[in-house]
Amino acid sequence: MSGPNTDYDPVEVSTLKPDEVDAARDAALAAIGAAADLDALKQVRIDHTGDRSPLALANREIGALPPQARKEAGQRVGQARGAVGKALAARQVVLEAEHEERMLAEETVDVTLPTDRVPAGARHPVTTGSELIADIFVAMGWEVAEGPVIEAEWLNFDALNLGPDHPARTMQDTFWTDPADNGVVLRTHTSPVQARTMLTRTPPIYVVCPGRVFRTDEYDATHSPVFHQVEGLAIDEGITMAHLKGTLDHFATAMFGEGIVTRFRPSFFPFTEPSAEVDLVCFVCRGTALNADGTDVCRTCRGEGWIEWGGCGVVNPRVLRACGVDSDRYTGFAFGMGIDRTLMFRHGIEDLRDLFEGDVRFTTAFGSEL
Amino acid sequence: MKAPVSWIREYVDLPADVTTEQLAARLTALGLKLEAIEAPGDQITGPLVVGRVLTREPEPQKNGKTINWCTVDVGAANGTGEPQGIVCGAHNFDVGDLVVVVLPGGVLPGGFAISARKTYGHVSAGMICSAAELGISTEHDGIIVLPADAGEPGADAFDVLGLHDDVIEFEINPDRAYALSLRGIARDAALGFGAAFTDPADLGGRALPAANADGYPVDVQDAEGCPLFVARLVEGFDPTAATPDWMAQRLVQAGMRPISLAVDVTNYVMLEIGRPIHGYDADRLTGTLGVRRATAGERLTTLDGAVRTLAHGDLVVTDDSGIIGLGGVMGGADTEITDATTRVLIEAAHWDAVSMFRTGKRHKISSEAGKRNERGVDPTVTEAAADRVVELLTTHGGGTAAPGVTVVGSAPAQPTIDMASDLPERITGMSVPRETTLAHLRAVGCIVDEARAEVATLLTVTPPPWRPDLTDPHDLVEEVARVVGYDQVPSVLPRPGAGRGLTREQRLRRRAGRTLAGAGLVEVISFPFVGDAVLDQLGLPADDPRRHTVRLANPISSEEPGYTTTLLPGLLRAAARNLGRGAPGVALFETGTVAFPADRGPAPIHGVDRRPTDEELAQLYAAIPVQPLHLGVVLAGERERAGWWGSGRDSAWSDALAVVRRLGAELGLAVETRAAVRAPWHPGRCAEVLVGGRPVGHAGELHPKVCAAFDLPRRSAAVEIDLDVVLAEARDVVPGPSFSSYPLAKEDVALVVDDAVTVAAVEDALRSGAGELLESIRLFDVYTGEQVGSGRRSLAFALRFRAPDRTLTEPETSAARDAAVAAAVERCGAVQR
């Protein structure tokens, strides 16, 4: 910075002439307006407000004026510098905004580009389906019980009133471990979990038992030697078939939606007496037996309006006795159905084998399942 | 069990307007489940009439076939009364035969419309029908030739052929053996419609001939196995006598094949009354019939030609020549009725159901007789059934009933059941007044002790003899409930107390599954069966414990007789399947049970009359294989895809470890790894995984041979860990961390170590040397090359220091770093670069 120009004749300072100051101001304002970008504006700032700019020089000369002239000159130069400074700031804002806009525009990407660098995973529908079922029951205050898949014959059969000579024992084609008189089987149902629960706990008992079960079935679109079942067991004072019906109605509605309730038909299971088959209102035709286009016959229920879902009944007092439950004081109900079959209904899966092939295209489709 | 509706109606006074569907639905509601309805006439539209062949002119054709140009008298059915000209391709008929004719305007099954049309140079006005064309049989042996007395020309053939007679097929549960007869089905139909029931076993009310001493000699040595044995003889039987059409038709409708009159009659009576009957050729019998238990090793050729080696306990029928039949299950070949039999000995016997079941199961015989005998037959109809067979054989086979009537033993008495009269209401939740209970029990045939019934709350109930399944009070409850109607059961939600929710393990398993799916892995479920071949593919050594599987006595495939000890076979196959189907890469996981034999001997079979003691239960549990829950993972092919961002990346050993560490992090567990050699992994790229210091499994790259054996790309990686152990180690409650907000001090160090020194060892040394000010340590680079010399590598670590209570000074940080490096130098022979 140089100091005031004391060498000049104070009366004869040309740069402080009003028209010179105005001209310098106008030149600055014109340059500011003409600055096309921030770099140009930076040069304008140097040229018109820098140390060697006319207005800066004029400002420095003010001190050399006689005191009576300083005020007027000071005002003139000050106003000019103020106007230039303001214009510079305003232009700066405009140009910065323009710059940012341009920069952002240049950075535009194609947001439709794929981003699937690591493909998504998914849990199996049998897993999520089992959890959904468990949650429905847990919300009612039930608990989830589990047990081994390779099981004592006594727990899989005898304790459940399926004695060695019970005709029903041949209804379930059982995988026996070697040697066949080993007393150990691949469980044919999750009922041994019920037996284990009764053997270790005292009522009230409200448990649901999902799990893998085995039968020597053919492997085809609707059968598999390995499949999944969920059973429920309630043991309490005053339990009746009405509680069984209420529970299954709630379960059906929770799985398949409002209006999907159950129907009982007399049946036979050694572990329950009375026993019932439980049917669901066909969730496709909702019992009308008609297809969506009004034609008969509903393809899902074959015009019956109902679909077989599982078996159920009042726990046979013989089972209670074998499992150490006081059958005079307590009654109970039990039910069981296939998880795979339930999921086939719920999701319109046509071939059971899809569940066991491990094709990721099948499972990934269920990745969003709750 | 197939039941023609006309046959049911024979015993039940059903309203005429009850449809087959209504009847089936009502019986289903009573527990006889509708399986299918066969309505043979449904697919046919008339006119379908009886015709008599008037002329039949064979006309050879150019194509080598010969057709018959016929004129057929169809009475007034064609509107003119003139003979109908019809071309027929079949040859199994003659002039004068009665045939079945569909006239123009009729429609046969499959929408086959009949019209008068020109063919083979004639106008053929209709068609002479075969059974196949009418959809009532699949046999293609020409047209139907009706019996001479079938009807007049022009008569409606629907009735003649029984096409209006629907057949209902029921699925009969094991407890309802009575419904394996028309007698039983009709009884429930009567119950369902409140209609009058005529018991076919009453034989129209005729008196049965009394037992006498003149009958065929029978000596029952095992009255427990055979409480009642009835024998009757028919002599002078004409073995060529034909089975009447109505009987043959009913047998066919019921799904049985007519064979000969003698055999057909026994089958017919079994269907009608429910009692299986056996017929012997009396001329092939020698001396007294006996009933005893077989001794092991005795042999018998049964009438199906099979030579059976008998076991102790099989009930057998003998004569003086030895064993001639498996009583109640299957007769012997040497004494069966033939096409020359003129003397028929009829055996109607009541057999012990359990013995029947055991023998049938032991010899794998599933016969119609055995099916009924093992489920329980009404013992009180034994004599009636025998008499009915005698009646039918003599009526249709021309024989005479011998006067001798053998009856050995008697029908066992029905045990009574005591039931609280309010039990049906307490068990079903329906409103079942006491009178309803009494009425319904009586309706199903029970005798309720009147004297006690009127006064006591306890009813003494005698079930009917055709219901051996009714033994417990709850059985009676079911009977009452099915008559009231299961549709009357109200729907009431039980209100259990507060539950404990999911267990810790259940919640952790969900977490583990979500973590793995979140890491891009897809869950699969595989069959858990393995055999030597797949374990060989995994390269398991001969003494590997994973080769010692729980073996199945009856596996699906003899190639895979074991319950798996590892999840990898299923996973590797699923991975290969996905790659084979075009997936560029695959990342799979499975959580599943594996099993290791307990080798503690057989599991005991306890009684069921009481709870086993804790000791007995412990024995039981100990005999069951050990079944840990495993987690398996396979990563093969592309792990990260190529894309506009750059190239992709195939799965590698490190991805397998990353999965394990990610899971550990999600469960709040520190995962350690150390080099291990274990099949099926690459010996230099396998880590043993430790959690909480406990080995839990292995992870790394698969052995190249294993990849090749499973058709997987090289470098495919896998994990298998014991999830039970991992979850047990998971923290229940996370302690809240405390952390400093003072500034961070960063120090990076590069250390050169021998290749054999592991990163974990160097990190451990640095950590121990750095002291408490160290906040974190992370390896960020590995360098090998000339600058560090061969057999050595440079490891670059980022150390981060922070104090809980102050800003660290430069000298403090440097001192900590130097101490860390000093420890690495001392413990790992590291040299700072």
mmCIF file of all heavy atoms in Angstrom, chain B residues 357-392:
data_model
loop_
_atom_site.group_PDB
_atom_site.id
_atom_site.type_symbol
_atom_site.label_atom_id
_atom_site.label_comp_id
_atom_site.label_asym_id
_atom_site.label_seq_id
_atom_site.Cartn_x
_atom_site.Cartn_y
_atom_site.Cartn_z
ATOM 1 N N PHE B 357 -53.867 -108.127 11.850
ATOM 2 C CA PHE B 357 -53.002 -107.000 11.488
ATOM 3 C C PHE B 357 -51.546 -107.453 11.414
ATOM 4 O O PHE B 357 -50.827 -107.154 10.464
ATOM 5 C CB PHE B 357 -53.179 -105.885 12.520
ATOM 6 C CG PHE B 357 -52.229 -104.736 12.323
ATOM 7 C CD1 PHE B 357 -52.448 -103.808 11.317
ATOM 8 C CD2 PHE B 357 -51.118 -104.597 13.142
ATOM 9 C CE1 PHE B 357 -51.569 -102.758 11.136
ATOM 10 C CE2 PHE B 357 -50.239 -103.549 12.963
ATOM 11 C CZ PHE B 357 -50.459 -102.619 11.956
ATOM 12 N N ARG B 358 -51.132 -108.202 12.446
ATOM 13 C CA ARG B 358 -49.724 -108.623 12.486
ATOM 14 C C ARG B 358 -49.394 -109.539 11.314
ATOM 15 O O ARG B 358 -48.345 -109.406 10.684
ATOM 16 C CB ARG B 358 -49.430 -109.345 13.802
ATOM 17 C CG ARG B 358 -49.384 -108.383 14.979
ATOM 18 C CD ARG B 358 -49.053 -109.109 16.264
ATOM 19 N NE ARG B 358 -49.090 -108.174 17.383
ATOM 20 C CZ ARG B 358 -49.143 -108.551 18.651
ATOM 21 N NH1 ARG B 358 -49.163 -109.837 18.957
ATOM 22 N NH2 ARG B 358 -49.166 -107.652 19.597
ATOM 23 N N THR B 359 -50.288 -110.483 11.042
ATOM 24 C CA THR B 359 -50.016 -111.427 9.959
ATOM 25 C C THR B 359 -49.988 -110.707 8.610
ATOM 26 O O THR B 359 -49.104 -110.937 7.790
ATOM 27 C CB THR B 359 -51.073 -112.551 9.969
ATOM 28 O OG1 THR B 359 -50.915 -113.296 11.173
ATOM 29 C CG2 THR B 359 -50.902 -113.477 8.777
ATOM 30 N N GLY B 360 -50.946 -109.814 8.416
ATOM 31 C CA GLY B 360 -50.989 -109.066 7.158
ATOM 32 C C GLY B 360 -49.731 -108.247 6.964
ATOM 33 O O GLY B 360 -49.145 -108.206 5.878
ATOM 34 N N LYS B 361 -49.274 -107.624 8.046
ATOM 35 C CA LYS B 361 -48.099 -106.763 7.974
ATOM 36 C C LYS B 361 -46.844 -107.624 7.755
ATOM 37 O O LYS B 361 -45.992 -107.307 6.934
ATOM 38 C CB LYS B 361 -47.994 -105.986 9.285
ATOM 39 C CG LYS B 361 -46.949 -104.889 9.292
ATOM 40 C CD LYS B 361 -47.062 -104.100 10.591
ATOM 41 C CE LYS B 361 -45.794 -103.340 10.895
ATOM 42 N NZ LYS B 361 -45.826 -102.752 12.226
ATOM 43 N N ARG B 362 -46.802 -108.739 8.490
ATOM 44 C CA ARG B 362 -45.621 -109.608 8.429
ATOM 45 C C ARG B 362 -45.428 -110.151 7.019
ATOM 46 O O ARG B 362 -44.336 -110.180 6.494
ATOM 47 C CB ARG B 362 -45.812 -110.753 9.429
ATOM 48 C CG ARG B 362 -44.590 -111.597 9.689
ATOM 49 C CD ARG B 362 -44.924 -112.645 10.744
ATOM 50 N NE ARG B 362 -45.199 -112.078 12.064
ATOM 51 C CZ ARG B 362 -46.205 -112.459 12.852
ATOM 52 N NH1 ARG B 362 -47.054 -113.399 12.461
ATOM 53 N NH2 ARG B 362 -46.380 -111.909 14.038
ATOM 54 N N HIS B 363 -46.529 -110.572 6.409
ATOM 55 C CA HIS B 363 -46.415 -111.199 5.085
ATOM 56 C C HIS B 363 -46.757 -110.227 3.965
ATOM 57 O O HIS B 363 -46.869 -110.626 2.815
ATOM 58 C CB HIS B 363 -47.326 -112.437 5.028
ATOM 59 C CG HIS B 363 -46.975 -113.478 6.050
ATOM 60 N ND1 HIS B 363 -45.828 -114.223 5.975
ATOM 61 C CD2 HIS B 363 -47.592 -113.864 7.198
ATOM 62 C CE1 HIS B 363 -45.762 -115.043 7.023
ATOM 63 N NE2 HIS B 363 -46.823 -114.834 7.784
ATOM 64 N N LYS B 364 -46.927 -108.961 4.333
ATOM 65 C CA LYS B 364 -47.214 -107.918 3.343
ATOM 66 C C LYS B 364 -48.385 -108.332 2.446
ATOM 67 O O LYS B 364 -48.312 -108.266 1.222
ATOM 68 C CB LYS B 364 -45.980 -107.604 2.502
ATOM 69 C CG LYS B 364 -44.823 -107.053 3.333
ATOM 70 C CD LYS B 364 -43.691 -106.560 2.451
ATOM 71 C CE LYS B 364 -42.635 -105.815 3.244
ATOM 72 N NZ LYS B 364 -41.985 -106.682 4.255
ATOM 73 N N ILE B 365 -49.446 -108.816 3.090
ATOM 74 C CA ILE B 365 -50.651 -109.193 2.353
ATOM 75 C C ILE B 365 -51.708 -108.138 2.635
ATOM 76 O O ILE B 365 -52.026 -107.857 3.789
ATOM 77 C CB ILE B 365 -51.194 -110.566 2.798
ATOM 78 C CG1 ILE B 365 -50.150 -111.647 2.548
ATOM 79 C CG2 ILE B 365 -52.503 -110.882 2.067
ATOM 80 C CD1 ILE B 365 -50.548 -113.009 3.090
ATOM 81 N N SER B 366 -52.204 -107.525 1.581
ATOM 82 C CA SER B 366 -53.297 -106.586 1.751
ATOM 83 C C SER B 366 -54.490 -107.135 0.978
ATOM 84 O O SER B 366 -54.594 -106.945 -0.218
ATOM 85 C CB SER B 366 -52.886 -105.208 1.229
ATOM 86 O OG SER B 366 -53.988 -104.339 1.301
ATOM 87 N N SER B 367 -55.337 -107.871 1.670
ATOM 88 C CA SER B 367 -56.503 -108.455 1.001
ATOM 89 C C SER B 367 -57.758 -107.776 1.511
ATOM 90 O O SER B 367 -57.769 -107.163 2.573
ATOM 91 C CB SER B 367 -56.570 -109.963 1.283
ATOM 92 O OG SER B 367 -56.823 -110.195 2.661
ATOM 93 N N GLU B 368 -58.809 -107.879 0.726
ATOM 94 C CA GLU B 368 -60.095 -107.296 1.144
ATOM 95 C C GLU B 368 -60.557 -107.929 2.452
ATOM 96 O O GLU B 368 -61.085 -107.254 3.340
ATOM 97 C CB GLU B 368 -61.151 -107.514 0.053
ATOM 98 C CG GLU B 368 -60.921 -106.685 -1.206
ATOM 99 C CD GLU B 368 -61.138 -105.196 -0.965
ATOM 100 O OE1 GLU B 368 -61.999 -104.841 -0.135
ATOM 101 O OE2 GLU B 368 -60.430 -104.390 -1.587
ATOM 102 N N ALA B 369 -60.333 -109.246 2.575
ATOM 103 C CA ALA B 369 -60.738 -109.923 3.801
ATOM 104 C C ALA B 369 -59.902 -109.434 4.976
ATOM 105 O O ALA B 369 -60.420 -109.079 6.037
ATOM 106 C CB ALA B 369 -60.576 -111.426 3.633
ATOM 107 N N GLY B 370 -58.580 -109.396 4.762
ATOM 108 C CA GLY B 370 -57.682 -108.978 5.837
ATOM 109 C C GLY B 370 -57.977 -107.557 6.293
ATOM 110 O O GLY B 370 -57.967 -107.249 7.485
ATOM 111 N N LYS B 371 -58.260 -106.688 5.328
ATOM 112 C CA LYS B 371 -58.542 -105.283 5.654
ATOM 113 C C LYS B 371 -59.714 -105.191 6.637
ATOM 114 O O LYS B 371 -59.683 -104.422 7.590
ATOM 115 C CB LYS B 371 -58.868 -104.545 4.357
ATOM 116 C CG LYS B 371 -59.004 -103.047 4.499
ATOM 117 C CD LYS B 371 -58.934 -102.369 3.142
ATOM 118 C CE LYS B 371 -60.298 -102.304 2.484
ATOM 119 N NZ LYS B 371 -60.259 -101.636 1.174
ATOM 120 N N ARG B 372 -60.729 -106.016 6.403
ATOM 121 C CA ARG B 372 -61.898 -105.978 7.290
ATOM 122 C C ARG B 372 -61.611 -106.676 8.612
ATOM 123 O O ARG B 372 -61.958 -106.180 9.681
ATOM 124 C CB ARG B 372 -63.097 -106.592 6.580
ATOM 125 C CG ARG B 372 -63.656 -105.684 5.480
ATOM 126 C CD ARG B 372 -64.621 -106.402 4.553
ATOM 127 N NE ARG B 372 -65.205 -105.478 3.583
ATOM 128 C CZ ARG B 372 -64.585 -105.064 2.476
ATOM 129 N NH1 ARG B 372 -63.358 -105.478 2.209
ATOM 130 N NH2 ARG B 372 -65.180 -104.213 1.648
ATOM 131 N N ASN B 373 -60.973 -107.851 8.519
ATOM 132 C CA ASN B 373 -60.747 -108.618 9.752
ATOM 133 C C ASN B 373 -59.817 -107.895 10.725
ATOM 134 O O ASN B 373 -59.960 -108.016 11.927
ATOM 135 C CB ASN B 373 -60.174 -109.997 9.406
ATOM 136 C CG ASN B 373 -61.257 -110.943 8.913
ATOM 137 O OD1 ASN B 373 -62.402 -110.864 9.365
ATOM 138 N ND2 ASN B 373 -60.913 -111.822 7.985
ATOM 139 N N GLU B 374 -58.833 -107.128 10.188
ATOM 140 C CA GLU B 374 -57.893 -106.476 11.105
ATOM 141 C C GLU B 374 -58.490 -105.215 11.723
ATOM 142 O O GLU B 374 -57.990 -104.714 12.717
ATOM 143 C CB GLU B 374 -56.572 -106.174 10.391
ATOM 144 C CG GLU B 374 -56.639 -105.028 9.395
ATOM 145 C CD GLU B 374 -55.319 -104.848 8.657
ATOM 146 O OE1 GLU B 374 -54.613 -105.855 8.475
ATOM 147 O OE2 GLU B 374 -54.999 -103.714 8.293
ATOM 148 N N ARG B 375 -59.534 -104.690 11.118
ATOM 149 C CA ARG B 375 -60.150 -103.486 11.691
ATOM 150 C C ARG B 375 -61.335 -103.823 12.580
ATOM 151 O O ARG B 375 -61.801 -102.986 13.338
ATOM 152 C CB ARG B 375 -60.611 -102.555 10.575
ATOM 153 C CG ARG B 375 -59.429 -101.935 9.874
ATOM 154 C CD ARG B 375 -59.820 -101.309 8.569
ATOM 155 N NE ARG B 375 -58.626 -101.177 7.748
ATOM 156 C CZ ARG B 375 -58.324 -100.096 7.047
ATOM 157 N NH1 ARG B 375 -59.135 -99.071 7.034
ATOM 158 N NH2 ARG B 375 -57.223 -100.048 6.346
ATOM 159 N N GLY B 376 -61.828 -105.022 12.454
ATOM 160 C CA GLY B 376 -62.923 -105.427 13.336
ATOM 161 C C GLY B 376 -64.218 -105.605 12.590
ATOM 162 O O GLY B 376 -64.731 -104.683 11.963
ATOM 163 N N VAL B 377 -64.752 -106.811 12.666
ATOM 164 C CA VAL B 377 -66.008 -107.152 11.999
ATOM 165 C C VAL B 377 -67.041 -107.462 13.074
ATOM 166 O O VAL B 377 -66.696 -107.925 14.167
ATOM 167 C CB VAL B 377 -65.792 -108.377 11.074
ATOM 168 C CG1 VAL B 377 -67.092 -108.805 10.417
ATOM 169 C CG2 VAL B 377 -64.736 -108.077 10.027
ATOM 170 N N ASP B 378 -68.281 -107.205 12.775
ATOM 171 C CA ASP B 378 -69.374 -107.535 13.691
ATOM 172 C C ASP B 378 -69.428 -109.059 13.873
ATOM 173 O O ASP B 378 -69.728 -109.788 12.921
ATOM 174 C CB ASP B 378 -70.683 -107.012 13.077
ATOM 175 C CG ASP B 378 -71.885 -107.268 13.991
ATOM 176 O OD1 ASP B 378 -71.725 -107.981 15.006
ATOM 177 O OD2 ASP B 378 -72.970 -106.738 13.669
ATOM 178 N N PRO B 379 -69.121 -109.566 15.079
ATOM 179 C CA PRO B 379 -69.083 -111.029 15.236
ATOM 180 C C PRO B 379 -70.472 -111.646 15.198
ATOM 181 O O PRO B 379 -70.616 -112.846 14.941
ATOM 182 C CB PRO B 379 -68.439 -111.215 16.622
ATOM 183 C CG PRO B 379 -68.725 -109.948 17.361
ATOM 184 C CD PRO B 379 -68.768 -108.859 16.321
ATOM 185 N N THR B 380 -71.493 -110.828 15.424
ATOM 186 C CA THR B 380 -72.840 -111.402 15.553
ATOM 187 C C THR B 380 -73.492 -111.729 14.213
ATOM 188 O O THR B 380 -74.575 -112.297 14.179
ATOM 189 C CB THR B 380 -73.767 -110.434 16.335
ATOM 190 O OG1 THR B 380 -73.921 -109.237 15.562
ATOM 191 C CG2 THR B 380 -73.206 -110.096 17.694
ATOM 192 N N VAL B 381 -72.855 -111.331 13.094
ATOM 193 C CA VAL B 381 -73.469 -111.628 11.795
ATOM 194 C C VAL B 381 -72.789 -112.821 11.120
ATOM 195 O O VAL B 381 -73.048 -113.112 9.956
ATOM 196 C CB VAL B 381 -73.408 -110.404 10.843
ATOM 197 C CG1 VAL B 381 -74.189 -109.250 11.435
ATOM 198 C CG2 VAL B 381 -71.974 -110.006 10.543
ATOM 199 N N THR B 382 -71.942 -113.521 11.875
ATOM 200 C CA THR B 382 -71.149 -114.597 11.267
ATOM 201 C C THR B 382 -72.039 -115.706 10.702
ATOM 202 O O THR B 382 -71.885 -116.137 9.554
ATOM 203 C CB THR B 382 -70.172 -115.155 12.319
ATOM 204 O OG1 THR B 382 -69.485 -114.046 12.919
ATOM 205 C CG2 THR B 382 -69.153 -116.079 11.688
ATOM 206 N N GLU B 383 -72.983 -116.149 11.512
ATOM 207 C CA GLU B 383 -73.865 -117.229 11.038
ATOM 208 C C GLU B 383 -74.768 -116.755 9.900
ATOM 209 O O GLU B 383 -75.007 -117.487 8.932
ATOM 210 C CB GLU B 383 -74.728 -117.762 12.186
ATOM 211 C CG GLU B 383 -73.941 -118.595 13.175
ATOM 212 C CD GLU B 383 -74.783 -118.990 14.370
ATOM 213 O OE1 GLU B 383 -75.654 -119.862 14.203
ATOM 214 O OE2 GLU B 383 -74.583 -118.412 15.452
ATOM 215 N N ALA B 384 -75.234 -115.500 10.020
ATOM 216 C CA ALA B 384 -76.109 -114.968 8.980
ATOM 217 C C ALA B 384 -75.370 -114.869 7.656
ATOM 218 O O ALA B 384 -75.912 -115.196 6.591
ATOM 219 C CB ALA B 384 -76.647 -113.606 9.397
ATOM 220 N N ALA B 385 -74.101 -114.422 7.724
ATOM 221 C CA ALA B 385 -73.329 -114.283 6.496
ATOM 222 C C ALA B 385 -73.158 -115.642 5.828
ATOM 223 O O ALA B 385 -73.285 -115.779 4.602
ATOM 224 C CB ALA B 385 -71.970 -113.648 6.811
ATOM 225 N N ALA B 386 -72.872 -116.667 6.652
ATOM 226 C CA ALA B 386 -72.702 -118.010 6.089
ATOM 227 C C ALA B 386 -74.000 -118.474 5.431
ATOM 228 O O ALA B 386 -73.996 -119.046 4.330
ATOM 229 C CB ALA B 386 -72.268 -118.982 7.186
ATOM 230 N N ASP B 387 -75.095 -118.205 6.090
ATOM 231 C CA ASP B 387 -76.386 -118.634 5.555
ATOM 232 C C ASP B 387 -76.738 -117.894 4.264
ATOM 233 O O ASP B 387 -77.324 -118.450 3.339
ATOM 234 C CB ASP B 387 -77.486 -118.408 6.601
ATOM 235 C CG ASP B 387 -78.731 -119.236 6.277
ATOM 236 O OD1 ASP B 387 -78.595 -120.480 6.156
ATOM 237 O OD2 ASP B 387 -79.812 -118.634 6.100
ATOM 238 N N ARG B 388 -76.320 -116.623 4.216
ATOM 239 C CA ARG B 388 -76.572 -115.834 3.008
ATOM 240 C C ARG B 388 -75.762 -116.411 1.843
ATOM 241 O O ARG B 388 -76.265 -116.505 0.714
ATOM 242 C CB ARG B 388 -76.178 -114.375 3.283
ATOM 243 C CG ARG B 388 -76.245 -113.436 2.102
ATOM 244 C CD ARG B 388 -77.662 -113.158 1.661
ATOM 245 N NE ARG B 388 -77.713 -112.037 0.736
ATOM 246 C CZ ARG B 388 -78.591 -111.921 -0.254
ATOM 247 N NH1 ARG B 388 -79.520 -112.851 -0.431
ATOM 248 N NH2 ARG B 388 -78.576 -110.882 -1.042
ATOM 249 N N VAL B 389 -74.542 -116.829 2.095
ATOM 250 C CA VAL B 389 -73.728 -117.435 1.041
ATOM 251 C C VAL B 389 -74.383 -118.729 0.567
ATOM 252 O O VAL B 389 -74.489 -118.985 -0.629
ATOM 253 C CB VAL B 389 -72.292 -117.697 1.542
ATOM 254 C CG1 VAL B 389 -71.499 -118.499 0.503
ATOM 255 C CG2 VAL B 389 -71.586 -116.378 1.832
ATOM 256 N N VAL B 390 -74.845 -119.535 1.522
ATOM 257 C CA VAL B 390 -75.529 -120.775 1.162
ATOM 258 C C VAL B 390 -76.727 -120.470 0.275
ATOM 259 O O VAL B 390 -76.933 -121.089 -0.767
ATOM 260 C CB VAL B 390 -75.975 -121.530 2.441
ATOM 261 C CG1 VAL B 390 -76.896 -122.692 2.074
ATOM 262 C CG2 VAL B 390 -74.763 -122.032 3.208
ATOM 263 N N GLU B 391 -77.476 -119.461 0.670
ATOM 264 C CA GLU B 391 -78.676 -119.100 -0.095
ATOM 265 C C GLU B 391 -78.322 -118.725 -1.538
ATOM 266 O O GLU B 391 -78.928 -119.205 -2.491
ATOM 267 C CB GLU B 391 -79.375 -117.913 0.592
ATOM 268 C CG GLU B 391 -80.593 -117.408 -0.161
ATOM 269 C CD GLU B 391 -81.022 -115.992 0.232
ATOM 270 O OE1 GLU B 391 -80.377 -115.388 1.132
ATOM 271 O OE2 GLU B 391 -81.974 -115.490 -0.360
ATOM 272 N N LEU B 392 -77.318 -117.870 -1.690
ATOM 273 C CA LEU B 392 -76.971 -117.401 -3.030
ATOM 274 C C LEU B 392 -76.363 -118.519 -3.877
ATOM 275 O O LEU B 392 -76.620 -118.621 -5.074
ATOM 276 C CB LEU B 392 -76.016 -116.208 -2.933
ATOM 277 C CG LEU B 392 -76.649 -114.923 -2.389
ATOM 278 C CD1 LEU B 392 -75.581 -113.876 -2.106
ATOM 279 C CD2 LEU B 392 -77.701 -114.376 -3.367
#
